[in-house]
Amino acid sequence: MPRWLRDNALSVSMFGAFLVFLVLQSVFGWQTHNQELAEYGAPQVSWLAYLSSGHFLEAVFENWESEFLQMGGYVLLTAYLVQRGSAESKPLEQTDRPEDDERRAKPESPWPVHAGGLPLVVYRNSLSIALLLIFAGSFLGHLFAGTAEYNQQQALQSGAPPVGVWEFLGTSDFWFQSMQNWQSEFLAVGTLIVLSIFLRQHASPESKPVTVEHAHTGD
């Protein structure tokens, strides 16, 4: 295996799987959408046209929204809350780690650490900020694409006039779509937090070592 690929195998695998499943989602979604259009006697769309449709983009952003909300919220919560015995928790009495103190900076530390001030404040929280910004963008993508899809469905089913983005934001449809994903994301993370107290996966940083007692908190 080439050195670069070996050193980046985890991210390459994740993003490779993402692209494969996204393409498959688009293909199966396109077929499903055309079946729905045929039921109403509406003209079918090409695959390329489907990629910019509300039907596809709503489904994509709806899922991204929940994933990045979960990840951003999780990063923030694990900075302040603990779970005794969990590999997903920091040690019970720990606040910042010694290495989080900018006074311990090394020459090779990232430049915001040496700059101090606002750059350091932002950098200290940059992971959660980035994840929550992606969540916000995905939320807006879901909202706008969902409005387009909602209007198309209303036109096909009843000929109702289109609604605006703010009107769609106030519908139960929009919030039902969001909540059905949000609840499942936090269920999955909560399950991992609790299961990592008692169960192990050797060699995984998401698990405590196999020989460590259940009460040990952190990795």
Side-chain angles (χ1 to χ4, degrees):
M1 181 184 296
R3 176 67 179 269
W4 179 88
L5 184 57
R6 187 197 68 184
D7 289 350
N8 298 278
L10 186 57
S11 60
V12 169
S13 298
M14 292 296 101
F15 286 114
F18 159 72
L19 289 174
V20 169
F21 292 134
L22 183 65
V23 170
L24 290 175
Q25 178 189 350
S26 71
V27 171
F28 293 127
W30 169 55
Q31 295 172 345
T32 299
H33 187 53
N34 277 335
Q35 290 172 1
E36 294 173 350
L37 293 175
E39 291 175 2
Y40 292 103
Q44 298 195 344
V45 299
S46 68
W47 179 70
L48 287 177
Y50 175 71
L51 295 181
S52 61
S53 70
H55 188 273
F56 176 65
L57 293 176
E58 178 187 39
V60 169
F61 286 123
E62 180 184 329
N63 283 279
W64 289 8
E65 165 195 310
S66 60
E67 295 290 346
F68 286 103
L69 173 64
Q70 172 239 105
M71 293 174 66
Y74 185 52
V75 168
L76 273 178
L77 290 173
T78 52
Y80 300 101
L81 305 180
V82 296
Q83 172 59 57
R84 180 178 175 81
S86 177
E88 296 295 308
S89 170
K90 62 184 179 181
L92 295 178
E93 304 304 325
Q94 179 178 287
T95 53
D96 273 5
R97 296 159 293 194
E99 296 81 6
D100 288 326
D101 188 342
E102 64 273 15
R103 292 171 296 183
R104 297 171 62 101
K106 302 175 181 178
E108 62 270 21
S109 297
W111 73 264
V113 179
H114 297 289
L118 182 60
L120 177 59
V121 172
V122 173
Y123 185 67
R124 283 173 61 88
N125 299 280
S126 55
L127 180 58
S128 58
I129 290 172
L131 292 171
L132 292 174
L133 283 175
I134 299 173
F135 157 71
S138 301
F139 183 90
L140 292 175
H142 174 202
L143 178 60
F144 281 93
T147 302
E149 173 61 13
Y150 181 82
N151 285 333
Q152 183 180 43
Q153 290 297 319
Q154 291 292 97
L156 288 172
Q157 295 172 10
S158 61
V163 302
V165 169
W166 286 110
E167 290 177 273
F168 182 61
L169 181 64
T171 64
S172 56
D173 274 15
F174 175 78
W175 291 107
F176 172 71
Q177 293 165 7
S178 293
M179 294 306 135
Q180 68 178 335
N181 286 285
W182 294 10
Q183 55 86 13
S184 64
E185 297 298 336
F186 284 94
L187 171 65
V189 173
T191 301
L192 176 61
I193 290 169
V194 173
L195 289 182
S196 71
I197 299 173
F198 307 104
L199 306 180
R200 307 287 187 270
Q201 175 57 56
H202 71 91
S204 174
E206 299 302 313
S207 168
K208 293 184 291 190
V210 172
T211 58
V212 168
E213 68 277 11
H214 292 328
H216 179 81
T217 304
D219 58 4

